[in-house]
Every structure is written in C-alpha cells, then in structure tokens.
Amino acid sequence: MFGVIDLPTYLAGLVLIVLLPGPNSLYVLSVAARRGVRAGYTAAAGVWCGDTVLMTLSAAGVASLLQGNAVLFGIVKYAGAGYLTWLAVGMLRAAWGMWKARREQTAEEAPAGVQDERPFRRALVVSLFNPKAILFFVAFFVQFVSESNPVVGFVTLGVLAQVASMLYLSALIFGGSRLAAAFRRRRRLSAGATSAAGALFLGFAVKLSLASV
C-alpha cells in the first residue's frame, strides 16, 4: 500500500527512533530553552530540511553506496563526529563564559555566543551529520520501500517521518520555552544546562565515530 512494505512495523520503529534522544532533538530543546519558541522552530526547520536531504540521498541510492563503501562511510562519519565535537567545545566555552560573567550580566542580556548563534544553519548541519538519522535512512528506512512503486514509497515514508518529527520537536519546543524564563533569571542554571548539552554532544561525537553500517 502506497509503495510501502509492512507499514505497521515501520510506524512502530519510527516512533521508537524519533523518541530516542539524539543531537537534533537536544539542540532544538536547547535553543527553545535559551531563546524561546520562535528560535526553537527556526532550529527545527533546519532539522526538517536536513532530514529531507538525507531522505533524498537515500532515494537516490546514496544509502546503498555508503553501505557498500567503508571508506566513504568512514569519511562521512568522522566528518560528522568532528563537527559535533566542534559544537560541543563551543557549548562548553559558552557555559564557561556564563559562569564567569553570571554576576555581571542582567537578566535581559545574553552571552555573545548565544547572540551570534544561527539556529537554522547549525541545526541543518547537525541533522546532516546526526548518527541516528544517518543509520536510520541507510539501514532502516530503505527496507520498507516497495520495488513495485519506489517513488510513492519513499514519499510516503518521508512524509510520515517528517510528521512524527514535527510533532515531537513541537512538544520539545513548547516544553523548552517554559525553561527559558528560568534560564534568564538563573545564570547558574543556564550555565549548567549548557555544560550538560556540551557533554552530551561529545558523547554523540564518540558514538558517531564508532558507528558502523
């Protein structure tokens, strides 16, 4: 049906994968908590665009190419791990700046790193190098596309994946926005949360560097 093989199994796997914490959801939650709903949706738009690119590449056969070429897959995963590490270092540096300046900043001021942040672009790159998304589209997504109608199958699976992502990220954005006021009032809390996010991104970088197809 709709070019999809075993739709119930795909939906069950999709829900589990979407709910599994990853750099995409963590970054969107972090942006929403620090900057509010509008910035959260800007970051989420970057995630959705990145996922669309990965789906398109999967449909074009890049998934099979990565599966069959260990060198190419290694290049992709180590480039992604390097970018996630760079983001983690940036978050940890921003957190250190918050700790140092927390007594000097007013509740309305934001650290320079936050002011210069570009949520859409950063979320887009995070999405493209997200280990969870890469493995999902390389090893899971393509298994449910019917050979008799692959175009409709890819579109159907992609739309379902994006709808699930939109619902989940929207819940995170509105939940994170409630934390924004507390973060603005309590610099120590904001610095601690940013430190934790940086540490988790380092963990994602290590996980990606160890990933295999």
Side-chain angles (χ1 to χ4, degrees), residues 87-179:
L87 284 181
V89 171
M91 289 181 176
L92 292 173
R93 290 180 61 188
W96 177 246
M98 292 178 193
W99 284 110
K100 290 173 61 178
R102 67 183 185 275
R103 294 182 179 179
E104 300 174 5
Q105 290 179 318
T106 64
E108 292 75 23
E109 291 175 328
V114 174
Q115 293 173 337
D116 297 336
E117 186 179 17
R118 297 179 181 180
F120 178 86
R121 186 178 69 179
R122 185 165 291 186
L124 174 63
V125 180
V126 169
S127 178
L128 293 175
F129 289 114
N130 176 11
K132 184 177 73 170
I134 291 174
L135 295 177
F136 172 70
F137 290 113
V138 169
F140 182 80
F141 184 78
V142 294
Q143 296 181 21
F144 297 90
V145 178
S146 172
E147 294 182 0
S148 62
N149 201 348
V151 175
V152 175
F154 271 109
V155 172
T156 301
L157 295 177
V159 169
L160 291 173
Q162 291 289 46
V163 169
S165 177
M166 288 178 182
L167 293 174
Y168 180 57
L169 292 183
S170 292
L172 291 182
I173 287 168
F174 284 101
S177 66
R178 294 187 175 184
L179 299 175

Side-chain angles (χ1 to χ4, degrees), residues 34-47:
R34 289 182 285 109
R35 302 180 57 179
V37 171
R38 183 173 181 178
Y41 271 110
T42 300
V47 170

